[in-house]
Amino acid sequence: MNITVTKTTHPGTLPPADTLGFGSVFTDHMFVMDYTEQAGWHDARIVPYGPLSLSPAASVLHYGTEVFEGMKAYRRPDGGVQLFRPWDNMERMKNSAIRLGLPVVPPEDALEAVKALVKVDERWVPSDPGTSLYIRPFLYGTDAKLGLHGVHTAQFIIILSPVGSYFDNG
């Protein structure tokens, strides 16, 4: 898979570990890939994190055609970054897409996208105990048509968030 990378011109800063909650701070970049029946999955890209443009008639808004996964990357003692059971997440996402009638992102492509994005934003992986980089891959239907139909266009996106504990008390 060919992934183009457009780096942000306004890089952010990893907040102090004691201020990290869950999913409220996001890294500089996100992965985006489009799907059409004619072209399949195409235009894989890492771009600056930002808002999405979506038709008000998009099938995700009216028929709930969306699946997501949640996974984590951790800073190892040697400074490297380790994903936690990524193949399990990619297989689960594939199975969820099949159940909802969404186009399947091949698990090897989804994992390649995760690794590429984490590498681009590796400096956002915190190292303090109890912290990690939360990885949220999600896939949704974008068909701008209200009638009942299958999904013919979609987007696959991955966002990253440095996190502390999900619960206030750890």
Side-chain angles (χ1 to χ4, degrees):
M1 178 170 58
N2 181 35
I3 302 172
T4 62
V5 177
T6 304
K7 296 268 187 123
T8 184
T9 56
H10 299 91
T13 305
L14 178 64
D18 61 351
T19 66
L20 292 174
F22 188 84
S24 58
V25 173
F26 299 95
T27 66
D28 291 329
H29 301 91
M30 62 186 188
F31 174 87
V32 181
M33 185 165 60
D34 301 307
Y35 174 87
T36 63
E37 283 186 322
Q38 301 78 18
W41 286 107
H42 62 279
D43 197 17
R45 58 208 184 270
I46 293 173
V47 297
Y49 179 90
L52 303 174
S53 178
L54 190 63
S55 168
S59 60
V60 66
L61 301 174
H62 300 277
Y63 297 105
T65 54
E66 190 256 352
V67 298
F68 69 89
E69 273 297 319
M71 52 195 294
K72 289 186 175 183
Y74 297 91
R75 183 75 60 188
R76 294 189 317 245
D78 68 0
V81 174
Q82 182 73 46
L83 296 174
F84 180 72
R85 297 184 341 192
W87 277 109
D88 293 338
N89 294 90
M90 298 304 99
E91 187 67 22
R92 196 168 36 244
M93 180 167 243
K94 178 188 89 171
N95 293 336
S96 295
I98 290 168
R99 281 193 295 275
L100 246 56
L102 285 162
V104 171
V105 177
E108 59 276 8
D109 289 348
L111 184 53
E112 182 181 345
V114 166
K115 288 178 178 180
L117 181 60
V118 169
K119 185 171 179 68
V120 167
D121 278 345
E122 183 176 343
R123 68 183 187 83
W124 285 87
V125 181
S127 57
D128 292 274
T131 64
S132 60
L133 184 69
Y134 183 72
I135 304 165
R136 174 55 69 97
F138 59 104
L139 161 62
Y140 61 94
T142 58
D143 295 87
K145 189 168 148 184
L146 293 178
L148 196 55
H149 57 85
V151 174
H152 307 289
T153 62
Q155 270 196 324
F156 175 57
I157 298 177
I158 305 167
I159 57 175
L160 306 174
S161 177
V163 297
S165 177
Y166 186 81
F167 299 104
D168 288 338
N169 60 352

